[in-house]
Amino acid sequence: MDPVIGHTEILRELAALAAAAEPPHALLFAGPESTGRTVLARRYAMLLNCEALHPPAPAGAPLFGDEPPAPGSAPGAGPCGVCRPCRLILEGAHPDVITVGPGDALCRPRDGESHPAHPDSADIRICQVRGITELCARFPFEARYRVIIIDPADRLALYAAPALLKTLEEPPGHTIFCLITAAPERVLETILSRCRRIDVRPVGRPAIEAGLIDRGIEPQLAADAAAASRGRPGRAIAFAAQPDLMGDRGRILERCAKVAASGVPARFQYAADLASRWRSDSAAVRFELDCWESFWEARLRSASVDSPDDARGALAALRAIAALREHLNANVQVRPAFDLMLLSFPRVTLEHSPEEELPAHA
């Protein structure tokens, strides 16, 4: 079963890049969360290291002989998925395919430096980039190419990004970098210029539905999950695995409608609730922001030609949500940021009274 849903053109591009005599040393996978960016990066690692595509040298072969290497699969072919490198990469257990994100991964303090652990760090720190640099100085344990996945690349801290730039400027031939980000505008421009950019866009609903059915998901559940995912295969897989999440989404959409129909005091109350929950469960709040985008997108689609104000209001709301995401990534004070977003939303009219009390967060 192919772990990638959709992205046919990107898969072709990755296969061509991996088959080149000198594959690009750094790729930037840019796109919304849950669209398959990390899955594509791991697919690239498989393409680079699959033994069916790149057969290992036979035992006893001379290091500098004139014999040509054994032919692999045809250019553009996919990884076999069954050889040792493919299996380890699919299981997330390959010693040469490493993911570095905020936390302690590859942390290397300076000699004699007092350096407390930072498993809950919000950023990728310079000590981790130091670990990346030290790792790059050594040959891979067993792979043709070591693949270092930096996720999310927009969380490289102030001094970490310039430190990584030095390694990207003089890349080791045996290491490939895959940078993952939903906010490429927040990645250092000099880093962007050294990466081949792959734009990962949302996937069409039919492709997601077919991918879920291929995974053994019942057709009706697959259709519901694909419809609720907003083009994000990762989100659709989560919905199919936990259908209750779609019920949560429905309840949040109902709350969105009531908040959009309410006045300023209720909106401030809701903003305070979001800000409080952001500190303890930012993932749940991001999911709620996705629901808000679905709410306003639906209103934008349903706006008639005779109601341009409705369309303009929905567009303004979507811009406010996008601005809030940027503010949250920039670590601004969260309460004013949520207040600003809620005040930017137009007021809508519902069939029932807009003054009814907002339900408490489930």
Side-chain angles (χ1 to χ4, degrees):
M1 178 180 63
D2 195 329
V4 181
I5 294 179
H7 303 305
T8 304
E9 294 300 322
I10 294 178
L11 292 175
R12 289 199 193 99
E13 181 178 1
L14 293 179
L17 294 177
E22 295 185 7
H25 68 279
L27 301 183
L28 178 84
F29 293 88
E33 296 176 0
S34 298
T35 49
R37 302 162 306 168
T38 303
V39 175
L40 288 167
R42 292 190 176 277
R43 173 68 167 236
Y44 190 53
M46 292 169 65
L47 287 163
L48 290 166
N49 292 296
C50 174
E51 291 180 350
L53 298 177
H54 312 282
L63 290 176
F64 305 102
D66 296 329
E67 297 180 9
S73 298
C80 69
V82 296
C83 67
R84 173 180 167 82
C86 284
R87 284 187 287 105
L88 289 177
I89 293 170
L90 285 172
E91 295 166 4
H94 200 294
D96 293 313
V97 179
I98 300 156
T99 299
V100 179
D104 281 324
L106 290 186
C107 176
R108 296 290 186 277
R110 294 184 186 276
D111 292 338
E113 180 183 52
S114 176
H115 190 86
H118 45 83
D120 299 323
S121 172
D123 296 316
I124 300 172
R125 299 165 58 144
I126 191 170
C127 56
Q128 294 175 270
V129 175
R130 193 179 302 126
I132 291 173
T133 302
E134 292 180 10
L135 184 65
C136 290
R138 301 193 294 269
F139 281 100
F141 290 104
E142 59 179 86
R144 291 178 69 243
Y145 289 98
R146 176 187 292 117
V147 178
I148 297 177
I149 300 172
I150 300 178
D151 183 13
D154 51 274
R155 298 308 304 175
L156 285 161
L158 179 62
Y159 298 107
L164 178 66
L165 179 61
K166 295 180 180 180
T167 302
L168 291 178
E169 286 175 334
E170 300 177 2
H174 50 70
T175 297
I176 303 290
F177 288 93
C178 290
L179 280 63
I180 313 292
T181 181
E185 68 278 0
R186 298 191 64 242
V187 178
L188 202 65
E189 183 62 35
T190 44
I191 288 180
L192 292 177
S193 67
R194 286 159 177 80
C195 298
R196 183 181 181 106
R197 178 164 170 163
I198 307 289
D199 287 309
V200 185
R201 297 182 175 86
V203 177
R205 184 187 300 183
I208 295 178
E209 185 175 341
L212 294 177
I213 292 174
D214 288 344
R215 284 162 169 72
I217 305 300
E218 187 268 329
Q220 185 58 54
L221 177 57
D224 294 342
S229 69
R230 299 179 62 243
R232 303 184 184 192
R235 183 65 54 76
I237 291 171
F239 284 153
Q242 295 180 274
D244 287 349
L245 290 175
M246 285 188 282
D248 293 341
R249 179 177 181 271
R251 287 188 288 274
I252 292 172
L253 286 172
E254 290 177 5
R255 182 185 303 131
C256 291
K258 293 180 180 179
V259 170
S262 65
V264 172
R267 293 188 181 205
F268 277 149
Q269 179 184 347
Y270 177 66
D273 175 58
L274 287 176
S276 175
R277 286 191 282 126
W278 173 260
R279 299 183 185 93
S280 59
D281 193 355
S282 61
V285 175
R286 289 188 186 278
F287 179 68
E288 198 148 336
L289 293 177
D290 288 344
C291 294
W292 270 111
E293 286 179 327
S294 295
F295 174 80
W296 291 114
E297 286 170 356
R299 292 192 66 84
L300 180 60
R301 286 193 297 269
S302 63
S304 66
V305 177
D306 297 329
S307 55
D309 288 345
D310 290 346
R312 282 194 290 267
L315 284 172
L318 289 169
R319 293 191 190 100
I321 296 170
L324 173 69
R325 292 186 187 277
E326 292 183 9
H327 294 156
L328 295 175
N329 286 334
N331 293 327
V332 302
Q333 293 185 16
V334 294
R335 176 59 196 276
F338 283 114
D339 285 343
L340 179 60
M341 181 190 74
L342 267 296
L343 291 176
S344 300
F345 288 171
R347 190 167 183 175
V348 303
T349 301
L350 302 182
E351 293 180 0
H352 54 277
S353 171
E355 302 300 328
E356 81 179 55
E357 183 180 355
L358 293 176
H361 173 63

